[in-house]
Amino acid sequence: MSTLWHRLQRLSLYYKVNGLIIGMLLLCSLIIGFIMLQSTSRLLDSQMEKRGTEIASYIAALSSNDILIEDHFSIFDRLNKTKANNEEVRYILVTDSAGRILAHTFTGPLPQGLPAVLLPPPPPLDTTLPSELPSSHQISRFSSNEGPIREISVPIEGGDIGFVRVGMSEKTTQILLAQKFNEIILTTLLICFLAGIGATHITFVLIQPVHNLSLIARQIQEGNYDVQADVRSEDEVGRLAKSFNAMAASLREKDLENNRLLEELRAKEALRASLMSKLFTVQEDERRRLSRELHDETGQSMASLLAYMKVLLAKLTSAEQKELLMGARDVAISVLDGLRKMAVELRPPVLDYLGIVAALEKYAQNFAQQHSIEVNFAPPAEKLLVSNDIALALYRILQESLTNIAKHANAHRVDIELTKSFEHVKMVIRDDGQGIHANALATALEHNRLGLFGMQERAELLGGSLVFRSSHKQGATIIVILPMGSDGHV
C-alpha cells in the first residue's frame, strides 16, 4: 500500500488532475444512475399496481350480476379477454365471499405457491397501498415457480359477493428495469468517455503552462539564467511566469556579479600567494645571509678574541687576573657555541650537503638532547630526492612543530615518520602531549600566533596540504603531504 501511494505521488500533475476529473464524473454518473434506477423501479411498481387495481376494479364492477345469477361462462370469457389484452397480467381469479374460486384464467394447474382455496388474506407485512387507492384494496407479493407475483385484490360489493384477484407478473418490470439498467450503464460509459476526452483537453490546457514553468525552473536550477517563460495570460499562471522571468533576470545579474567577485578573489589570491612566496623567499635569503654572517664574520671575530685571550693569559702573572680572564674566556666560548647553533638553525649546512633526510634526523637528535624528550625518527625505506623548495619546507615545518611541542605540549615522546610515494612525500609528526582544544587555533590566530597557519600556508603554496588533528589530553598529530617536485620558490 505504501509503495502504491509513493508511486501515485510521483505521477505527473497532468495524470492526477485528469484522473480526479474522470473519477468524479464517473462517481457522479453512478450515483445519478442508481437514483434513476431506483426511481424507475418505484415508478414501474406504482404503475403496475395502479394498472392491476384498475383491471380488478373493472372486472369487479362488471361481474357482480354474473356472480349473482351464476353466469360463470360470462365471467370466464371476460377474464380471458382482459388477460389477453394486458400482457403484464399473469392471472385473474374471481372468488366468492368464502374465498372459493369461481373462475380463473389458468389453462393448467395453479402455479406453485397459490393455494387451491384462496381465503381473504390479512394485510401482509410488505403490503403497499398507494395513496390514491381505497383502503379496501389489498396488494401483496409472493413467490411462485414462475417468479415474483404481485397480486391486487379488489372486493366485489364490499366483499359480500366475492373478490377479484389480479396477479401481475414482475417479469415485465424486471425486463424493463434490465433495459433501463443497460441504458444507464451505456449512457454512463458514454458520458465518462466524452468526459475523459474533455478532461484530457482541459487538463492539458491547464497543466501545460505549469509544466513549462517546471522545465524552466529545472533549467534555472542547472544554472541557465537566460531562459524566459512565455506570458500568455494575466491570470495566476501568467503572474507566476512573470515572477519566474524576474527571478531569472535577478539570478543572472547575481551570477554575473558573483563571477566578477570570484575573478577578483582569484586575482587577489594569486597576488597573495605570490607575495607569500616572495616573503618566504626573502625570509630564507635573510636567514641564509644571517647564518653566513654569524658563521663567517661574527664567528671569526669571536675566535680571534679567544686567541687574544689565550696570549694574554700566558703573560699574566697574578692568579686572580688569570681566574678573571679564564671566566671571560668561558663566556666567550659559550657565546661562540650559541652563535654556531643559531647559524645552523638559520640555515643548516647538512641540508645542502647531505640531503633532507639527514637534516631532519640531525635536527631531531639535537632537539631530543636539548629538551630531554624521546624522539623517534623513521626515515623512508628508499632514498628520498626532492627539490630544494620541498626539502626546505619539510625542514621548516618540522622545526616549527618541534618548537611548539617543546613550548606547549608537555610531551614525553615524539614520533616522526617520513615516507614517499611515486608523486608525494609525506611526513607525520605525533606527540603524546596534552593536546589542544578546538578553539585554541582560533585564539592563536586572533593573537597573531601564526606558527601552525604559517606551516599550512607554506605547504599549500607548494601544492601540498597540512592537516592538524588533536584532542584534549590525547596528544596531537600533524600530517604534511607535498609533491615530489614544485615549480614554486620558497
Side-chain angles (χ1 to χ4, degrees), residues 190-205:
L190 179 60
I191 290 174
C192 289
F193 176 74
L194 296 176
I197 296 175
T200 301
H201 177 70
I202 293 173
T203 305
F204 177 80
V205 172

Side-chain angles (χ1 to χ4, degrees), residues 154-408:
V154 175
I156 302 175
E157 299 293 338
D160 296 333
I161 298 177
F163 296 91
V164 177
R165 310 176 81 97
V166 178
M168 308 293 289
S169 176
E170 294 189 1
K171 286 184 178 180
T172 304
T173 303
Q174 291 177 350
I175 292 173
L176 288 175
L177 284 176
Q179 292 176 352
K180 293 296 181 181
F181 178 77
N182 293 333
E183 291 176 0
I184 290 173
I185 290 297
L186 292 176
T187 303
T188 301
L189 293 177
L190 179 60
I191 290 174
C192 289
F193 176 74
L194 296 176
I197 296 175
T200 301
H201 177 70
I202 293 173
T203 305
F204 177 80
V205 172
L206 294 176
I207 301 301
Q208 186 62 29
V210 179
H211 177 69
N212 293 336
L213 292 178
S214 174
L215 296 178
I216 291 173
R218 184 177 302 175
Q219 293 185 30
I220 292 175
Q221 182 181 5
E222 293 173 355
N224 182 15
Y225 303 131
D226 295 327
V227 65
Q228 289 289 311
D230 294 334
V231 181
R232 300 181 179 180
S233 61
E234 296 296 330
D235 55 7
E236 289 81 356
V237 177
R239 291 193 292 271
L240 184 60
K242 290 182 179 179
S243 299
F244 264 87
N245 293 338
M247 180 181 65
S250 177
L251 290 175
R252 183 168 56 252
E253 294 178 359
K254 294 294 183 182
D255 187 59
L256 293 175
E257 180 68 14
N258 290 339
N259 289 335
R260 184 183 64 79
L261 294 176
L262 182 60
E263 291 298 327
E264 293 181 359
L265 181 61
R266 287 174 178 172
K268 291 180 180 179
E269 182 65 22
L271 179 60
R272 186 192 67 84
S274 176
L275 293 175
M276 289 296 296
S277 178
K278 291 180 180 180
L279 177 62
F280 284 132
T281 301
V282 171
Q283 186 182 56
E284 290 300 327
D285 291 341
E286 184 66 16
R287 285 180 175 180
R288 188 182 294 109
R289 185 185 65 79
L290 290 175
S291 176
R292 188 182 303 113
E293 289 182 358
L294 289 174
H295 184 272
D296 296 341
E297 298 180 9
T298 309
Q300 292 297 328
S301 298
M302 291 299 297
S304 299
L305 179 60
L306 287 173
Y308 286 128
M309 286 183 176
K310 185 176 181 182
V311 173
L312 183 60
L313 183 62
K315 295 181 179 182
L316 292 176
T317 58
S318 173
E320 185 178 356
Q321 291 177 347
K322 287 183 178 181
E323 184 179 354
L324 290 174
L325 185 60
M326 286 297 294
R329 186 172 180 273
D330 291 339
V331 172
I333 292 174
S334 177
V335 171
L336 181 60
D337 290 339
L339 289 175
R340 287 176 178 174
K341 290 179 182 179
M342 188 180 299
V344 170
E345 289 186 0
L346 287 173
R347 181 68 184 184
V350 68
L351 186 63
D352 297 323
Y353 300 124
L354 298 181
I356 181 60
V357 177
L360 294 178
E361 187 172 12
K362 182 65 176 176
Y363 186 81
Q365 293 174 357
N366 294 335
F367 176 83
Q369 294 174 0
Q370 293 175 8
H371 300 280
S372 300
I373 297 177
E374 181 184 354
V375 179
N376 297 314
F377 180 79
E382 302 176 4
K383 186 177 181 180
L384 180 61
L385 296 176
V386 295
S387 65
N388 182 60
D389 296 337
I390 300 299
L392 191 57
L394 290 173
Y395 186 85
R396 294 304 182 200
I397 291 173
L398 178 64
Q399 190 179 41
E400 183 68 28
S401 300
L402 293 180
T403 302
N404 289 335
I405 291 173
K407 289 182 179 179
H408 310 292

Side-chain angles (χ1 to χ4, degrees), residues 48-215:
M48 182 176 61
E49 292 172 0
K50 184 178 180 181
R51 180 61 178 164
T53 303
E54 291 176 352
I55 292 173
S57 299
Y58 169 74
I59 294 176
L62 297 179
S63 300
S64 60
N65 293 331
D66 293 334
I67 293 174
L68 292 176
I69 63 175
E70 297 184 356
D71 188 0
H72 294 170
F73 177 79
S74 298
I75 297 173
F76 179 77
D77 182 63
R78 186 178 299 112
L79 296 182
N80 283 290
K81 287 182 179 180
T82 302
K83 180 180 180 300
N85 294 329
N86 297 275
E87 295 181 357
E88 66 274 18
V89 176
R90 172 62 186 89
Y91 64 85
I92 304 176
L93 299 174
V94 175
T95 67
D96 59 14
S97 58
R100 293 184 295 272
I101 298 176
L102 301 178
H104 60 80
T105 58
F106 295 111
T107 57
L110 297 180
Q112 295 180 5
L114 286 176
V117 177
L118 297 178
L119 298 175
L125 295 177
D126 57 349
T127 297
T128 303
L129 295 177
S131 58
E132 67 272 11
L133 299 179
S135 59
S136 59
H137 294 200
Q138 294 180 351
I139 300 174
S140 60
R141 297 181 63 182
F142 62 88
S143 297
S144 69
N145 61 330
E146 297 181 1
I149 299 294
R150 187 168 304 200
E151 186 180 273
I152 296 93
S153 176
V154 175
I156 302 175
E157 299 293 338
D160 296 333
I161 298 177
F163 296 91
V164 177
R165 310 176 81 97
V166 178
M168 308 293 289
S169 176
E170 294 189 1
K171 286 184 178 180
T172 304
T173 303
Q174 291 177 350
I175 292 173
L176 288 175
L177 284 176
Q179 292 176 352
K180 293 296 181 181
F181 178 77
N182 293 333
E183 291 176 0
I184 290 173
I185 290 297
L186 292 176
T187 303
T188 301
L189 293 177
L190 179 60
I191 290 174
C192 289
F193 176 74
L194 296 176
I197 296 175
T200 301
H201 177 70
I202 293 173
T203 305
F204 177 80
V205 172
L206 294 176
I207 301 301
Q208 186 62 29
V210 179
H211 177 69
N212 293 336
L213 292 178
S214 174
L215 296 178

